[in-house]
Amino acid sequence: MTIAVTQELSPALVLNADFRPLSYYPLSLWSWQDSIKAVFLDRVTILAEYDRAVRSPTYSMRLPSVVCLKTYVKPARHPAFTRFNVFLRDRFQCQYCGSPHELTFDHVVPRSRGGLTTWDNVVAACSPCNLRKGGLMPKAAGMIPQQKPYQPTVHDLHNNGRLFPPNHLHESWVDYLYWDSELDPE
């Protein structure tokens, strides 16, 4: 799975004041219009620019390709419980068979058996597995999730998001992405 990003739109990579992207998945991008507005409102510092420029009768400015916020935005400690974040936590794979297709979510302990719609009871599941499991408990269905459901941290989701890069990474962004990744010892 990739995010559609086109170079023609000239989006700007947005970094927090600590020079880390606000988000890896989806990658924190602003339209060129939003990035220019932020420059004029003195909310960001331009770190890199495109070769393209915008002009008015009295002013010309190259489009920002990387901007850094001047004020640090403290990330949420726990991400919102959304379908997308459940899929991201589970790496866009069915937790029963590993398929990336026809994803929905499944209550490990079915709602009919008192299961709640919470991080600790919901997993990504493909439609065929979800139908096969139905209202059965995991052991009765012979379907144990590959990973026990849990409430992820923002860091967990960022790490998983790095596995799904956008279809386009501008060369000026590369120096600012993944620099906080742990290096492999050689």
Side-chain angles (χ1 to χ4, degrees):
M1 173 173 245
T2 59
I3 298 175
V5 176
T6 62
Q7 184 174 358
E8 294 78 35
L9 297 177
S10 303
L13 174 65
V14 183
L15 306 177
N16 209 337
D18 65 356
F19 292 89
R20 294 181 188 196
L22 291 175
S23 161
Y24 283 101
Y25 195 83
L27 190 58
S28 52
L29 301 176
W30 281 350
S31 68
W32 65 267
Q33 296 95 329
D34 288 339
S35 61
I36 287 176
K37 180 179 176 182
V39 169
F40 279 103
L41 292 173
D42 200 31
R43 293 182 181 159
V44 297
T45 302
I46 299 172
L47 300 178
E49 299 171 320
Y50 289 108
D51 290 333
R52 292 181 57 195
V54 290
R55 293 173 178 77
S56 76
T58 59
Y59 188 76
S60 178
M61 175 183 179
R62 287 176 51 183
L63 294 176
S65 66
V66 180
V67 295
C68 180
L69 298 176
K70 289 187 174 183
T71 304
Y72 182 75
V73 174
K74 187 174 180 181
R77 197 174 164 128
H78 295 289
F81 178 62
T82 65
R83 181 182 302 260
F84 180 85
N85 283 343
V86 169
F87 292 164
L88 184 56
R89 177 200 65 190
D90 295 344
R91 298 180 177 185
F92 296 93
Q93 293 180 334
C94 173
Q95 292 301 292
Y96 299 113
C97 73
S99 171
H101 305 292
E102 296 183 58
L103 288 181
T104 182
F105 66 86
D106 178 61
H107 291 80
V108 177
V109 175
R111 289 174 43 197
S112 62
R113 309 252 178 145
L116 302 174
T117 306
T118 63
W119 281 112
D120 298 324
N121 191 47
V122 171
V123 295
C126 66
S127 290
C129 284
N130 200 349
L131 288 170
R132 196 170 95 226
K133 181 176 171 287
L136 298 173
M137 294 295 284
K139 286 186 181 176
M143 299 174 70
I144 307 296
Q146 295 171 2
Q147 165 183 275
K148 184 179 179 193
Y150 66 98
Q151 181 172 2
T153 63
V154 170
H155 182 72
D156 293 333
L157 295 186
H158 279 193
N159 284 340
N160 286 354
R162 290 178 178 143
L163 303 172
F164 305 97
N167 63 328
H168 166 75
L169 290 175
H170 190 265
E171 62 208 29
S172 65
W173 301 352
V174 176
D175 289 339
Y176 301 97
L177 295 174
Y178 316 122
W179 67 271
D180 58 341
S181 298
E182 203 168 306
L183 300 174
D184 292 329
E186 299 202 21

